[in-house]
Amino acid sequence: IWTTVQYVPMPTALVRPPPASLPPATGERPDRKSAILLAAEKLFAQRGYHGVSIRQIAAEAGVPVALVGYYYGAKHELFHAIFAHWQPTIEARLALLREAVAQTRAQPAALHRIVSAFVEPVLRMRASPEGEFYALLVSRELLYVRDETDRVLREFFDPLAHTFIDALHTVRPQATRAQTAWAYQFALGALLHHTSDRRVQRLSRGANPPNDAAAAPLLIRFITAGIDAALQAPPTHPDHSKESSP
């Protein structure tokens, strides 16, 4: 049974102004501030946090170097600001997960709907021009444990993870919290790999475009089946260990 998941609104798109329109490096200009955030998002996604300097971000945005610090402070604060900008999409995903649980708690399709609410907004974002680099940044950069990413994970993504784990536990109450947390981790791994991998095009001999949003039904079925199998009640078998040999 397929479900239609509500559209998750994107935050206001960051559109870099053309170089000719850049004003002198004085005063507040929202377009320059947005240009810096967009440039940082793109470069962090492509090269990694430690592979990018403030000077490179300023050059990509077409602004003076000093303006980056004026608007955002140090590099780690600029990194944090990217995720703060996209916070509305996380809030929308939280709402979708809660709605999926409330509507389908007693239905056989409940697990499928929860997984859909978890997966589909990410794939839509990855396929959108305004969300492409952000989705890539999440799938690549947050995998590396360090102070900058740990702060982002705790503040923005842990609430989403806990909500998904709670939702899974609601529809599979026979599982322990520990088992459900593992199921979340495995589901997240499949989702993040799909959003960042390019090898599938080669492995499919050109049949599968990388990060193809059309693969969403297959990915959702895959994750749903895996979670369902992992969180089933363990079968009860008689203990033959104490039986005497004939």
Side-chain angles (χ1 to χ4, degrees):
I1 301 173
W2 300 112
T3 180
T4 300
V5 178
Q6 174 185 344
Y7 174 72
V8 178
M10 300 286 183
T12 305
L14 299 176
V15 180
R16 189 189 318 143
S21 68
L22 289 175
T26 57
E28 294 272 351
R29 282 293 303 272
D31 55 349
R32 295 192 297 178
K33 187 175 183 180
S34 296
I36 294 168
L37 202 63
L38 178 64
E41 182 180 281
K42 176 182 177 181
L43 294 182
F44 285 149
Q46 291 178 332
R47 306 178 191 175
Y49 178 84
H50 289 294
V52 179
S53 67
I54 291 295
R55 186 172 299 277
Q56 289 169 327
I57 292 170
E60 177 72 20
V63 301
V65 174
L67 209 58
V68 178
Y70 172 76
Y71 279 126
Y72 294 105
K75 188 169 81 166
H76 70 274
E77 293 172 318
L78 175 57
F79 184 78
H80 182 272
I82 294 170
F83 297 92
H85 171 77
W86 286 96
Q87 175 67 12
T89 65
I90 297 177
E91 294 295 338
R93 291 178 69 199
L94 285 167
L96 284 176
L97 282 169
R98 295 187 184 110
E99 181 181 349
V101 172
Q103 291 181 350
T104 64
R105 183 172 304 192
Q107 297 179 16
L111 180 58
H112 183 275
R113 292 176 186 270
I114 289 168
V115 173
S116 295
F118 182 72
V119 169
E120 288 187 349
V122 177
L123 299 190
R124 281 199 299 269
M125 183 189 301
R126 181 66 177 87
S128 69
E130 66 270 29
E132 176 186 2
F133 290 117
Y134 174 72
L136 190 60
L137 177 63
V138 170
S139 63
R140 290 182 174 177
E141 197 62 14
L142 293 187
L143 296 178
Y144 301 100
V145 179
R146 56 173 179 267
D147 290 343
E148 299 85 14
T149 56
D150 187 62
R151 178 189 176 195
V152 166
L153 285 170
R154 289 176 181 272
E155 183 174 345
F156 298 111
F157 293 97
D158 278 6
L160 178 64
H162 283 299
T163 301
F164 185 60
I165 293 168
D166 290 342
L168 294 180
H169 203 246
T170 297
V171 298
R172 293 296 182 271
Q174 72 276 6
T176 66
R177 177 78 182 190
Q179 291 170 327
T180 311
W182 278 122
Y184 163 78
Q185 287 287 87
F186 301 152
L188 182 65
L191 175 60
L192 294 183
H193 184 76
H194 178 68
T195 58
S196 61
D197 176 66
R198 305 193 67 82
R199 187 171 171 235
V200 70
Q201 187 168 28
R202 185 170 72 253
L203 296 180
S204 65
R205 301 193 188 282
N208 295 337
N211 326 121
D212 190 3
L218 182 61
L219 179 60
I220 290 168
R221 289 201 305 270
F222 177 85
I223 293 175
T224 301
I227 292 175
D228 190 43
L231 300 186
Q232 289 291 340
T236 55
H237 296 293
D239 185 359
H240 298 292
S241 61
K242 296 182 181 179
E243 293 183 3
S244 59
S245 300

